[in-house]
Amino acid sequence: MIAADANKCRSTPGDKWSHDIDPMGARRAVQDYLANLDDPAWGRATDVVPKFVAPSDPAAQWTGALRNAAFFAYADNYLIDIKFGIIMDVEASRAIRQSEVGASQTMIERTEKTFGIKPDWLVADTAYGAAQILHFLVDVKGIAPHIPVIDKSQRDDGTFSRDDFIHDEARDQYVCRSGKILPRTRTTRR
């Protein structure tokens, strides 16, 4: 994590923030800054509305990832050849998992394009165990992932686990132990 130079006291709640800034009415430094921001920097790497946005640095992510007082930050991501201990690429991103996953894809593709080097396998922590990056590694790039998969099937927060639902094949619905039907929000294909 890299702390951003942004003040929480001057931040705006994420649901009240609008990135529609008129660059023509801004100072030159702000115009240059806005011209270089890409969509993920504006928060489009995820549909999650941030808790706070810093108008002085809207690309910074409000995070409590260090299990301490929350702050605005960026993440620095490294692609390392662990056999030789060489940093192959570095990519800064917003300090949110979805952005870090995108950064890993960028680094793999950039290293392959720049140096002609593509890893045979990749080691990463659980944050990279999402379907999006696993699909990219296995199906798109042919890279063997050595990554713990994010599994939220067993719950310990008082909500039902996946095993607490029974599939009623006749109605094609899931029913919980109390007999209530689980509403479908999207289609899952296996």
Side-chain angles (χ1 to χ4, degrees):
M1 292 291 178
I2 301 169
D5 190 14
N7 188 334
K8 196 280 186 189
C9 295
R10 295 179 185 237
S11 66
T12 302
D15 58 351
K16 306 277 189 252
W17 169 253
S18 173
H19 71 273
D20 298 327
I21 298 171
D22 177 19
M24 300 314 289
R27 295 182 181 148
R28 183 173 154 232
V30 174
Q31 289 177 13
D32 290 345
Y33 175 75
L34 295 173
N36 287 301
L37 284 178
D38 54 8
D39 282 350
W42 280 116
R44 293 191 186 108
T46 176
D47 293 334
V48 177
V49 175
K51 188 170 185 176
F52 298 105
V53 176
S56 62
D57 190 355
Q61 179 72 36
W62 180 252
T63 182
L66 299 180
R67 307 239 185 259
N68 206 336
F71 60 102
F72 285 106
Y74 291 93
D76 54 342
N77 306 276
Y78 299 92
L79 181 64
I80 301 172
D81 180 329
I82 60 172
K83 183 176 180 181
F84 297 104
I86 298 170
I87 297 172
M88 300 298 291
D89 200 352
V90 178
E91 177 77 6
S93 69
R94 298 186 82 209
I96 187 168
R97 184 180 49 82
Q98 295 90 334
S99 293
E100 293 175 28
V101 166
S104 65
Q105 292 175 351
T106 299
M107 291 185 295
I108 290 168
E109 289 178 335
R110 190 166 48 213
T111 300
E112 186 175 7
K113 182 179 176 185
T114 305
F115 302 115
I117 297 172
K118 183 186 92 169
D120 295 323
W121 49 276
L122 188 91
V123 177
D125 63 25
T126 307
Y128 295 86
Q132 175 192 5
I133 187 65
L134 295 173
H135 164 70
F136 172 79
L137 292 172
V138 175
D139 300 328
V140 176
K141 291 294 186 180
I143 298 171
H146 294 267
I147 303 169
V149 176
I150 295 174
D151 180 9
K152 295 185 179 182
S153 61
Q154 296 301 318
R155 309 296 296 218
D156 59 3
D157 61 357
T159 61
F160 289 129
S161 295
R162 183 176 294 162
D163 295 340
D164 294 327
F165 293 89
I166 300 164
H167 186 250
D168 180 346
E169 290 188 33
R171 296 187 291 175
D172 192 25
Q173 294 177 326
Y174 285 90
V175 181
C176 77
R177 290 182 294 188
S178 64
K180 299 200 180 200
I181 295 172
L182 178 67
R184 187 174 294 216
T185 57
R186 62 188 157 117
T187 302
T188 303
R189 293 181 176 87
R190 292 189 182 208

